[in-house]
Amino acid sequence: MSPARAGALAVLTAVAVYLTATHAMDVPFWWALLVSLPPAAAVLVTGLFVGAFDQDWTPEPDLPAASVCLHASSLTDRLGQAATDPYRFTSRVQPRLRRLALTTLRRDPDTADVSDLHDPRARDRLGDDLHDLLTAPAARLPKPDEFAAMIRRLEEL
């Protein structure tokens, strides 16, 4: 439940308890206000944490099979499509290049424990332009000469 909804429900509860106390039981104003606060707080806390402890019964995703994982040599067709459509680059090519870069970095003894490309050592090792190409959400495919130089640098790591 959203915080706004939980707050609205808590206010509604406080008003209902207050009105019940003042009109049905003739409780003075300040006592009715004081009595309405604990139920409102309980409803607010319950509303905020209502979904936090639910069981997640969705199955674990399957690990990618060898036939699904593409290697750098088979990216030629994808690069041709990504040159005209930036969305294809960020959704198809960039994640595969990221995986390739992480694998390459993990083979290097200096960066073997790198778990993410956002690690400063990964940026130093890859260079700013290649790192931005792999991690920027709005990255675009560079010119073929620049891209080939970046891939060559990645292969030399």
Side-chain angles (χ1 to χ4, degrees):
M1 182 178 297
S2 70
R5 257 179 134 177
L9 190 59
V11 168
L12 184 65
T13 303
V15 168
V17 170
Y18 173 79
L19 291 176
T20 303
T22 55
H23 293 296
M25 298 179 204
D26 290 329
V27 175
F29 169 77
W30 292 108
W31 280 105
L33 187 65
L34 188 64
V35 167
S36 67
L37 291 179
V43 167
L44 178 66
V45 169
T46 304
L48 290 175
F49 293 111
V50 73
F53 302 108
D54 287 346
Q55 291 288 335
D56 184 14
W57 295 104
T58 57
E60 291 289 327
D62 293 335
L63 295 174
S67 62
V68 175
C69 294
L70 297 175
H71 299 288
S73 61
S74 63
L75 286 174
T76 312
D77 185 43
R78 303 273 183 196
L79 291 173
Q81 295 169 350
T84 57
D85 186 4
Y87 174 75
R88 284 184 186 247
F89 176 74
T90 56
S91 66
R92 294 183 180 178
V93 177
Q94 194 180 34
R96 290 176 174 91
L97 286 174
R98 260 192 237 121
R99 255 185 274 142
L100 181 67
L102 267 175
T103 304
T104 305
L105 286 172
R106 288 179 183 154
R107 288 183 189 153
D108 186 4
D110 297 335
T111 57
D113 60 335
V114 169
S115 62
D116 189 20
L117 287 178
H118 296 290
D119 192 309
R121 292 176 295 164
R123 184 182 262 297
D124 292 341
R125 195 80 171 110
L126 294 172
D128 289 336
D129 54 347
L130 181 57
H131 185 266
D132 289 342
L133 178 73
L134 297 175
T135 58
R140 292 187 170 265
L141 189 64
K143 294 179 182 175
D145 305 343
E146 297 170 5
F147 186 70
M150 289 180 194
I151 296 299
R152 225 176 288 115
R153 232 179 32 230
L154 182 61
E155 289 175 349
E156 293 173 359
L157 291 178

